[in-house]
Amino acid sequence: CYCQSAKYDKIFKETSTTLLSSNPEQALRNTAYLYKISANNNERIKASMLRATLLRQNGMRNDAIEALKRADSLAVIDKNYNLQARVNGFLSTIYREYEIYSIGKTYLQKAIAASVKVEDKNEKYKFQGNLSQEKAYYDMSSSEYLKAIMNLKIGKQAFELCDSTIDKKFHIAVNDELIAKNYLLLNKVDLALSHFQLAEEELAKSEASDSPLKGFLYNGFGNVYAIKG
């Protein structure tokens, strides 16, 4: 009923915006309750992904993976390619963060395969951009910096195709900051500087101009000037 749905939305919003950082134990209890009162698989998947986010933040990797695998099985039942792409991309990130690269890459491939089937063009391009970033992180972990730059440039093209409903300036800024990092690792300091500058301009025009990315950019500029002297 509408009443139940409104209750779900209220608890979900409070949990994801406030309790996630202020009271993680209560937030975790809320995710179990949200799952219990879910009216459909879409709501169950959202609750499971929120639970996984919390568990990941608190270093409980295996529990986070379990919540995401449950979400993936529900997304498969519903043939919801949007959520399949999100869930498998999240699984890829968790395995990559724990340096279990072979398993992580299998989830990345599943995410890519699902993203191709997403009907909403805007969502599809956003996924392609994000998953190209994920590919680049794997390249960076194996010191394949040129390959990482290539994947990030592919991702940037995908983000460019998104419309204004997505904060594409922010996504492109993240991409350029990563491209700059890779150029720095290749000792191509001037190219690194130009991409840090691009990222700074894009971030200023985005809806998240005070994002933590600002700090990463200052750090990047510091590294560049330390090398240039």
Side-chain angles (χ1 to χ4, degrees), residues 189-209:
V189 184
D190 289 333
L191 282 168
L193 178 59
S194 70
H195 280 279
F196 279 131
Q197 287 167 338
L198 273 175
E200 185 179 41
E201 288 165 23
E202 287 146 3
L203 184 63
K205 292 176 196 165
S206 78
E207 294 163 30
S209 53

Side-chain angles (χ1 to χ4, degrees), residues 12-119:
F12 188 93
K13 188 179 179 187
E14 185 195 8
T15 307
S16 58
T17 56
T18 310
L19 296 176
L20 205 60
S21 51
S22 68
N23 191 344
E25 285 179 11
Q26 181 59 48
L28 204 57
R29 285 194 291 274
N30 279 10
T31 61
Y33 181 64
L34 283 165
Y35 193 92
K36 189 179 172 184
I37 66 166
S38 293
N40 52 51
N41 282 344
N42 208 14
E43 290 186 350
R44 289 182 193 99
I45 292 163
K46 275 178 65 184
S48 296
M49 288 188 77
L50 183 57
R51 185 174 183 80
T53 302
L54 259 165
L55 292 164
R56 174 194 178 206
Q57 278 180 6
N58 290 283
M60 299 164 76
R61 181 189 77 199
N62 291 338
D63 292 328
I65 287 168
E66 188 183 317
L68 288 170
K69 284 182 176 176
R70 178 168 62 182
D72 184 44
S73 65
L74 295 171
V76 168
I77 289 165
D78 278 7
K79 291 189 167 57
N80 189 325
Y81 300 115
N82 187 314
L83 287 173
Q84 282 179 47
R86 282 180 62 193
V87 170
N88 283 286
F90 197 171
L91 279 162
S92 169
T93 299
I94 291 177
Y95 278 110
R96 174 177 54 75
E97 285 172 348
Y98 283 89
E99 298 182 6
I100 308 171
Y101 299 122
S102 58
I103 298 175
K105 282 179 181 177
T106 63
Y107 284 109
L108 176 56
Q109 289 310 315
K110 280 181 78 174
I112 291 166
S115 73
V116 173
K117 296 174 184 173
V118 171
E119 286 180 15

Side-chain angles (χ1 to χ4, degrees), residues 119-129 155-172 205-207:
E119 286 180 15
D120 182 318
K121 282 206 166 102
N122 218 29
E123 285 293 314
K124 183 186 282 194
Y125 295 140
K126 187 178 83 167
F127 279 129
Q128 287 172 353
K156 191 173 175 178
Q157 287 170 348
F159 286 131
E160 293 281 11
L161 294 168
C162 293
D163 67 24
S164 59
T165 59
I166 281 165
D167 189 4
K168 65 180 185 181
K169 289 286 180 193
F170 176 74
H171 287 291
I172 292 167
K205 292 176 196 165
S206 78
E207 294 163 30

